[in-house]
């Protein structure tokens, strides 16, 4: 995997990754997703930001496809200190793409300012558990307007807003026992449950073989083809939104 600055040629792929990421991980209607993508991630606005160097926009590429390399994620740093957007293609999650992008963006931010922060839409189901692993915690909210639609934004800083929640997230193990074998827990790949997130469990080849419930650290999690999850030990449940096209 390579992390590099985005070019104008990446604009179409960035739009595609953003659209798929929103559909898979955000509690937004199809219309709201279309508004954000068309306003912020269509080739024209992305190309303009790249050309004007308004923000630091990095992309992650993976090799091995028939076409050589494939763009699987991107991150955008605004004002030199704040992650404005971070998106990873759903099929590329669990391979450290998001972590690599954040670490590179953090490295760039800390060369210019001591403060490193992030912003994410409140509707991002995996935003808080993921960012807390980098020492960033939801500390305040504000409302912004995109294409005539209003959205709530969470601001993440190094100040802990909820210590009890932080302790729970940090207790998630790197490995778990599933069917008698020790497997890796993809701590950057989760689905939000009613009581806490479920983390994907993957074998040595990277194949997802199950889920870990963060509430009770059990791998006794039932799943169907629509990724409705239920922990049979503590009852924690994840139900994808019925309108979400990622599950259709």
């Amino acid at each position: 995997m390579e992390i590099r600055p985005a070019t104008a040629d990446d604009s179409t792929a960035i739009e595609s990754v953003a659209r798929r990421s929103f559909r898979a991980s955000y509690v937004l209607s199809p219309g709201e997703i279309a508004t954000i993508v068309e306003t912020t991630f269509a080739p024209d606005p992305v190309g303009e930001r790249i050309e004007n160097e308004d923000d630091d926009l990095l992309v992650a590429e993976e090799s091995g496809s028939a076409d050589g390399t494939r763009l699987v994620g991107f991150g955008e740093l605004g004002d030199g200190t704040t992650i404005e957007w971070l998106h990873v293609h759903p099929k590329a999650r669990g391979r450290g793409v998001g972590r690599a992008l954040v670490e590179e963006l953090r490295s760039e931010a800390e060369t210019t300012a001591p403060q490193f922060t992030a912003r994410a839409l409140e509707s991002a189901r995996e935003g808080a558990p993921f960012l807390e692993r980098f020492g960033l915690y939801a500390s305040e909210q504000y409302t912004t307007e995109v294409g005539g639609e209003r959205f709530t934004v969470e601001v993440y800083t190094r100040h802990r807003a909820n210590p009890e929640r932080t302790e729970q997230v940090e207790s998630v193990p790197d490995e778990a026992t599933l069917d008698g074998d020790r497997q890796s827990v993809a701590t950057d790949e989760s689905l939000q449950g009613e009581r806490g997130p479920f983390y994907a469990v993957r074998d040595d080849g990277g194949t997802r073989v199950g889920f870990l419930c963060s509430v009770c650290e059990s791998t006794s999690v039932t799943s169907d083809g629509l990724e409705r999850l239920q922990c049979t030990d503590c009852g924690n449940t994840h139900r994808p939104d019925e309108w979400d096209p990622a599950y259709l």
Side-chain angles (χ1 to χ4, degrees):
M1 180 175 58
E2 177 187 4
I3 307 295
R4 61 168 176 80
T7 69
D9 292 338
D10 298 316
S11 297
T12 299
I14 287 173
E15 179 186 25
S16 177
V17 168
R19 191 180 301 275
R20 290 174 180 269
S21 176
F22 275 116
R23 287 175 175 174
S25 303
Y26 286 71
V27 185
L28 295 169
S29 71
E32 289 172 326
I33 291 173
T35 295
I36 295 174
V37 171
E38 291 166 9
T39 303
T40 310
F41 299 106
D44 284 347
V46 169
E48 184 176 338
R49 294 202 299 278
I50 293 173
E51 181 180 354
N52 295 336
E53 298 182 347
D54 293 335
D55 296 335
D56 290 322
L57 182 56
L58 302 180
V59 298
E61 279 188 331
E62 285 186 344
S63 59
S65 66
D67 298 328
T69 59
R70 181 171 68 103
L71 194 150
V72 294
F74 68 90
E76 190 165 2
L77 191 69
D79 300 326
T81 62
T82 302
I83 294 179
E84 300 284 356
W85 297 104
L86 182 73
H87 289 285
V88 176
H89 193 292
K91 292 185 178 180
R93 294 178 183 176
R95 302 203 287 264
V97 177
R99 181 185 296 110
L101 283 165
V102 171
E103 289 175 349
E104 188 65 29
L105 291 169
R106 179 167 59 183
S107 177
E108 291 200 10
E110 291 177 346
T111 62
T112 59
Q115 282 289 343
F116 175 62
T117 62
R119 285 197 279 260
L121 295 183
E122 183 187 34
S123 56
R125 290 181 290 205
E126 302 167 16
F130 179 72
L131 289 170
E132 284 173 2
R133 297 193 170 278
F134 298 91
L136 297 175
Y137 309 96
S139 58
E140 61 179 282
Q141 291 183 341
Y142 68 91
T143 302
T144 188
E145 185 171 310
V146 179
E149 300 272 3
R150 298 188 69 79
F151 301 93
T152 300
V153 178
E154 294 268 16
V155 179
Y156 291 81
T157 68
R158 297 190 187 278
H159 302 292
R160 300 190 182 194
N162 190 335
E164 292 183 1
R165 181 181 179 189
T166 300
E167 289 173 7
Q168 180 187 39
V169 171
E170 290 180 346
S171 70
V172 176
D174 293 327
E175 292 185 339
T177 300
L178 181 67
D179 296 331
D181 297 321
R182 296 294 291 175
Q183 308 286 10
S184 297
V185 177
T187 56
D188 60 348
E189 182 183 3
S190 65
L191 293 173
Q192 185 60 45
E194 292 178 352
R195 299 176 57 193
F198 291 92
Y199 291 90
V201 177
R202 294 186 175 273
D203 62 18
D204 292 339
T207 301
R208 193 176 70 191
V209 293
F211 287 91
L212 173 78
C213 173
S214 65
V215 177
C216 64
E217 297 191 2
S218 170
T219 55
S220 298
V221 178
T222 60
S223 173
D224 63 14
L226 298 179
E227 289 195 342
R228 284 188 287 261
L229 308 178
Q230 183 172 21
C231 176
T232 59
D233 285 349
C234 73
N236 187 26
T237 303
H238 164 77
R239 295 184 179 88
D241 298 279
E242 293 180 354
W243 51 260
D244 192 335
Y247 298 100
L248 300 181

